[in-house]
Amino acid sequence: MSHTVEKIGGTSIANTPVILDNVLINGREGDALYNRIFVVSAYAGMTNLLLEHKKSGKPGVYALFASAENKWQWSEALTELSQAMREKNAEVFGDHSDRKIADNFVLERVEGVRNCLIDLHRLCSYGQFRLDEHLLTVREMLAALGEAHSAHNTTLLLRQRDINAVFVDLTGWRDDEKRTLDERISGALESIDFSTELPIVTGYAGCLEGMVKLYDRGYTEVTFSRIGALTGAKEAIIHKEFHLSSADPKLVGDDKVRKIGETNYDVADQLSNMGMEAVHPKAAKGLRQAGVPLRVKNTFDPNDAGTIITDGFRPEEPRAEIVTGIPSLYCFELFEQDMVGVKGYDAEALKALTRHNIWIVTKNSNANTITHYVNCSRDALKKAAEDLEEQFPNAEVSIRKVAMVSVIGSNLELDGLTARATKALFDANIRLLGLHHLTRNVDLQAIVAEEDYDEAVKVLHRALVEGHVESAVDAPKPREAA
């Protein structure tokens, strides 16, 4: 196939003039505008208003509806959301007549959701119906509003420029037919001629599996991935607000970072594990299996080729490519003197963490201690600790805050890598609390105190990326014994 599938994130799509000039059009005319499929996220901030704030946890419409504290506060939040969407329409369309079309679209969707939630609230006032049994469906329905809004607006904007854009609504709005994700995508795209039509697709897709249930806030990239795989795209492209670089330029300096030109899906997976999602791990898996290369491009530098990610790439010269990490996570430690030689402790610890939906970044163990490094709320972790203390009354469960810095590369088979990393941290007076380096040689993880995170990233980037690290070829050979 000759087409690409391209994903535009929330921060990028919110910058309407730039995304039109640099990505959607970018000097193209005529046939060059087509043979592309665009999957769009909700405008930045909208999903926070719909569900809950991703970072602060401030409740949105969903969280307020699910709470029993104020049974009608969710409706006020829904009104505020409607206002925010129409303010975005005013910013995007100005005085153009399409603004009225966009506002009517928002009002129809929002008021439809409001009526549905009122009916559900009334239904669950009877004892035979429980609200908690329907909350996942409510969360799915609310999440869909954000992507429908941005995709519809983008389609209108392109049509203003005489581009044959098609709004592809995968949300299942007022569709009583239940479909799988693949069925939803295939059914929506089967009648579209990619060579003459430009599909603008909602990042959320209503399906039997439940997108938010399975992928939380990463569902847009999963939709994007499945479209790429199902349509046989020649390339999948993600447009972000930055280049995929060797570190955060705000932390180590613009003059210090290096843009990553090519890497592989192993590196993309490690970045996802650190929360620095070049692509959602489930999305990467789909593209990898379908043999579709992934390109990450900078929205603000459209003529740069970006970073190409493939399955088979492995540089001949070993190197450290990226230094990143998690500034704050928990070290969750289970100690039991009687653990030696006894099976079951590891499995029960994993069950407790899974039960409370806790993200495990990495783990290690020895004869009597199992340690998980997890990224979650303290409340969830305390519940997991209570479960384990009840299961193992003689065990000691401890929780402490730490940070993790990860050195990542598609080929980290560097002689002396661990020694150089630990020496750099030691010389900078940064105490090393833990170190993980697996035999697959794609990452090295250093555990440090929270307050040492920023400096540890700078130190390791300076030592392993900016500085020359001797490879097996370069390294001096050991002297022979006399």
Side-chain angles (χ1 to χ4, degrees):
M1 298 297 291
S2 59
H3 71 273
T4 60
V5 57
E6 309 188 24
K7 183 240 174 184
I8 304 175
T11 304
S12 292
I13 198 69
N15 197 332
T16 303
V18 171
I19 211 68
L20 280 170
D21 293 342
N22 291 3
V23 176
L24 292 165
I25 300 176
N26 194 23
R28 293 178 177 85
E29 296 180 354
D31 293 345
L33 287 161
Y34 301 100
N35 278 315
R36 299 179 296 159
I37 304 170
F38 281 97
V39 180
V40 299
S41 298
Y43 291 119
M46 291 299 175
T47 306
N48 289 338
L49 295 176
L50 283 159
L51 304 179
E52 64 280 318
H53 197 284
K54 191 173 183 179
K55 293 183 178 178
S56 71
K58 180 182 177 181
V61 177
Y62 168 78
L64 292 169
F65 184 81
S67 171
E69 293 179 7
N70 186 331
K71 67 178 183 179
W72 295 114
Q73 195 176 2
W74 66 265
S75 186
E76 297 169 9
L78 194 58
T79 299
E80 291 172 6
L81 167 79
S82 177
Q83 181 62 33
M85 286 184 164
R86 283 177 285 150
E87 287 174 0
K88 187 63 184 180
N89 292 349
E91 175 192 323
V92 168
F93 296 106
D95 296 330
H96 196 280
S97 58
D98 280 348
R99 177 179 169 184
K100 186 174 182 180
I101 297 173
D103 284 349
N104 287 339
F105 180 87
V106 167
L107 290 172
E108 184 220 348
R109 295 285 173 116
V110 169
E111 295 311 312
V113 167
R114 191 193 307 274
N115 290 335
C116 180
L117 295 183
I118 289 172
D119 288 344
L120 179 59
H121 208 286
R122 185 181 299 117
L123 182 67
C124 291
S125 66
Y126 295 90
Q128 292 88 344
F129 299 93
R130 293 178 54 85
L131 181 61
D132 56 6
E133 294 175 354
H134 303 281
L135 287 178
L136 277 176
T137 303
V138 170
R139 190 171 176 84
E140 300 278 341
M141 179 176 63
L142 286 167
L145 284 180
E147 276 73 22
H149 175 222
S150 59
H152 184 259
N153 279 3
T154 304
T155 304
L156 292 175
L157 287 167
L158 290 168
R159 288 176 180 170
Q160 287 178 18
R161 291 157 176 79
D162 296 323
I163 297 171
N164 190 21
V166 180
F167 173 50
V168 181
D169 188 359
L170 298 181
T171 65
W173 180 253
R174 296 191 180 280
D175 184 356
D176 57 4
E177 185 176 352
K178 299 292 185 181
R179 302 182 183 185
T180 66
L181 176 59
D182 287 2
E183 289 169 346
R184 177 74 65 189
I185 291 171
S186 299
L189 294 176
E190 64 183 355
S191 62
I192 296 177
D193 182 352
F194 300 152
S195 66
T196 59
E197 297 174 292
L198 185 63
I200 307 299
V201 187
T202 59
Y204 175 87
C207 58
L208 285 168
E209 300 94 325
M211 294 294 280
V212 182
K213 174 186 174 182
L214 290 180
Y215 310 114
D216 195 36
R217 305 280 277 266
Y219 53 79
T220 302
E221 291 191 352
V222 176
T223 302
F224 153 80
S225 166
R226 288 309 300 157
I227 291 174
L230 290 171
T231 63
K234 67 176 182 181
E235 191 170 272
I237 303 172
I238 294 180
H239 298 277
K240 289 187 173 287
E241 311 80 59
F242 48 79
H243 286 298
L244 187 58
S245 302
S246 57
D248 182 353
K250 294 178 183 177
L251 188 56
V252 305
D254 285 316
D255 58 329
K256 302 289 196 309
V257 299
R258 300 176 183 177
K259 185 179 79 70
I260 306 300
E262 188 172 7
T263 190
N264 63 26
Y265 278 114
D266 271 349
V267 169
D269 288 344
Q270 303 311 317
L271 292 176
S272 295
N273 197 41
M274 292 294 108
M276 181 186 166
E277 290 190 357
V279 61
H280 191 283
K282 295 292 185 182
K285 178 183 176 182
L287 293 172
R288 193 176 198 169
Q289 290 177 341
V292 178
L294 171 68
R295 190 179 298 274
V296 180
K297 295 196 67 174
N298 185 340
T299 301
F300 299 96
D301 192 6
N303 296 321
D304 188 276
T307 303
I308 187 73
I309 301 172
T310 58
D311 193 21
F313 175 76
R314 179 180 170 86
E316 292 183 8
E317 180 75 13
R319 67 190 187 198
E321 295 174 15
I322 299 171
V323 180
T324 184
I326 304 175
S328 180
L329 75 165
Y330 288 101
C331 171
F332 182 71
E333 191 170 87
L334 172 66
F335 169 79
E336 166 65 274
Q337 187 65 54
D338 297 330
M339 189 187 300
V340 183
V342 180
K343 297 179 180 179
Y345 286 88
D346 205 349
E348 290 303 324
L350 185 59
K351 285 179 185 177
L353 294 171
T354 304
R355 190 179 305 123
H356 297 286
N357 199 29
I358 292 170
W359 177 264
I360 301 170
V361 180
T362 191
K363 59 170 284 190
N364 59 30
S365 62
N366 60 21
N368 55 21
T369 308
I370 302 169
T371 305
H372 288 84
Y373 295 92
V374 297
N375 196 1
C376 63
S377 70
R378 191 172 185 89
D379 286 344
L381 203 55
K382 284 177 68 177
K383 291 175 182 176
E386 290 169 1
D387 289 356
L388 285 177
E389 286 169 345
E390 183 178 347
Q391 182 82 13
F392 305 113
N394 296 324
E396 296 178 17
V397 180
S398 61
I399 299 171
R400 65 180 291 190
K401 293 291 287 293
V402 295
M404 176 181 290
V405 180
S406 183
V407 180
I408 301 171
S410 43
N411 180 2
L412 274 184
E413 291 185 6
L414 290 156
D415 286 350
L417 172 68
T418 304
R420 185 155 183 168
T422 53
K423 184 178 186 303
L425 292 171
F426 177 81
D427 289 345
N429 293 317
I430 297 173
R431 186 185 175 198
L432 190 60
L433 304 177
L435 190 72
H436 305 149
H437 187 191
L438 302 184
T439 55
R440 190 168 174 80
N441 279 316
V442 292
D443 72 328
L444 180 149
Q445 298 168 346
I447 310 299
V448 298
E450 275 188 296
E451 60 270 21
D452 289 332
Y453 173 79
D454 286 0
E455 189 61 27
V457 171
K458 295 177 189 177
V459 165
L460 290 177
H461 189 270
R462 185 163 55 245
L464 303 178
V465 177
E466 298 168 46
H468 174 67
V469 181
E470 293 176 328
S471 69
V473 175
D474 299 326
K477 294 179 173 58
R479 289 179 296 176
E480 293 182 1

